[in-house]
């Protein structure tokens, strides 16, 4: 349950960490993120979540979901605490000093997709950056079969022996993943490479991207596939890219619940440094 919004979800797989932080039971926690499961719970619970760049934090000992999409990283009650966590989690990580938000040029994308008050709060965060411009950032519409195939490969042998031990909702998802064909996987793999190239071109000359983390505030409890699709809409693309992304609460939106801005870059330390100044 979401401690700041009774009857609302705490977010995806790392919702327990986000709920503990929002309840002030801890100052920092760990999360995993394959499609948004650090950033979505952080957004729902009004805390901070950082998905590092792919491979920056070791996944040794973490059971995989989709290995080339999987990330682990810190969640906390402040950006500074996430930065401190990165020093402990990522060998050789060095924080970066940033004097002013004027020191970075940012691109802005996907604001128009968010609900009105979420959009307004994120726009106010964007306006703190003097050097900004709109970016036409695409979506990875044809990549999901690659994710599904990786899930299938993780579970293939386990599922063959223990299908009855899987919960009904998870069993259905695994069966869909196992149905992905070699041809579908290959098309998706190529689409992913093309998507990475398109995003690199769209972001040429900018150091950070700013988007909403979620298009809405924490939604009511539901096991609705359409809700899940909407929840990962602005987070999953960054797992496709493997770039670092920070979710940071940015003020009250619909139902007086927190909106969240997503800061995306290609340098972990720069994303965190800009996040600290923005916070």
């Amino acid at each position: 349950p979401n401690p700041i919004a009774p009857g609302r979800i705490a977010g995806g797989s790392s919702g327990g960490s986000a709920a503990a932080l929002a309840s002030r039971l801890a100052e920092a926690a760990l999360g995993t993120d394959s499609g948004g499961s650090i950033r979505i719970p952080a957004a729902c619970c009004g805390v901070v979540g950082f998905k590092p760049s792919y491979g920056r934090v070791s996944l040794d000992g973490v059971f995989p979901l989709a290995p080339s999409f999987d990330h682990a990283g810190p969640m906390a009650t402040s950006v500074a605490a996430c930065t401190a966590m990165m020093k402990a989690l990522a060998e050789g990580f060095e924080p970066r000093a940033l004097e002013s938000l004027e020191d970075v040029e940012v691109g802005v994308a996907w604001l128009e997709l968010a609900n009105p008050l979420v959009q307004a709060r994120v726009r106010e965060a964007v306006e703190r950056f003097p050097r900004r411009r709109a970016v036409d950032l695409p979506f990875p519409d044809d990549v999901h079969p690659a994710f599904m195939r990786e899930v299938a490969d993780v579970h293939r042998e386990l599922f063959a022996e223990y299908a009855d031990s899987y919960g009904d909702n998870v069993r259905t998802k695994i069966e869909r993943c196992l149905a992905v064909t070699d041809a579908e996987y290959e098309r998706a793999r190529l689409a992913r490479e093309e998507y990475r190239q398109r995003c690199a071109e769209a972001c040429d000359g900018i150091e950070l991207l700013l988007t909403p983390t979620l298009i809405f505030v924490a939604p009511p409890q539901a096991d609705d596939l359409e809700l899940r699709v909407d929840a990962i809409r602005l987070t999953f693309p960054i797992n496709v890219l493997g770039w670092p992304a920070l979710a940071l609460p940015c003020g009250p939106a619909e139902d007086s619940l927190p909106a969240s801005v997503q800061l995306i870059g290609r340098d972990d330390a720069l994303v965190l440094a800009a996040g600290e100044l923005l916070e």
Side-chain angles (χ1 to χ4, degrees), residues 1-168:
N2 190 326
I4 67 168
R8 307 291 183 110
I9 65 170
S13 307
S14 301
S17 289
L21 293 166
S23 300
R24 296 301 189 261
L25 299 174
E27 292 181 12
L30 291 170
T32 55
D33 190 314
S34 303
S37 292
I38 285 173
R39 291 158 290 157
I40 293 168
C44 287
C45 294
V47 298
V48 181
F50 180 60
K51 181 193 81 64
S53 55
Y54 180 72
R56 192 68 186 86
V57 171
S58 171
L59 287 168
D60 287 351
V62 179
F63 190 87
L65 176 59
S68 75
F69 296 82
D70 292 350
H71 302 70
M75 303 169 71
T77 53
S78 69
V79 181
C82 280
T83 302
M85 286 279 283
M86 279 297 290
K87 291 178 70 175
L89 289 168
E91 185 176 353
F93 175 81
E94 289 294 335
R96 177 170 170 176
L98 197 63
E99 296 275 327
S100 164
L101 294 180
E102 293 183 9
D103 294 343
V104 287
E105 183 165 353
V106 303
V108 184
W110 301 339
L111 262 64
E112 71 284 357
L113 301 175
N115 286 355
L117 291 181
V118 170
Q119 182 178 152
R121 296 293 85 77
V122 174
R123 194 175 300 280
E124 288 167 2
V126 165
E127 288 171 357
R128 303 294 180 95
F129 291 84
R131 298 166 57 206
R132 59 185 186 271
R133 60 181 169 90
V135 170
D136 185 13
L137 196 67
F139 283 96
D141 296 324
D142 303 315
V143 172
H144 206 67
F147 182 98
M148 296 172 71
R149 180 59 175 269
E150 291 189 19
V151 173
D153 289 344
V154 167
H155 286 272
R156 197 176 305 277
E157 293 183 12
L158 278 171
F159 193 76
E161 188 170 356
Y162 299 108
D164 291 343
S165 298
Y166 285 73
D168 290 342

Side-chain angles (χ1 to χ4, degrees), residues 4 42-47 118 121 216-218 249-254 256-260:
I4 67 168
C44 287
C45 294
V47 298
V118 170
R121 296 293 85 77
F216 38 58
V217 297
C250 59
E254 282 76 11
S256 298
L257 295 175
S260 177

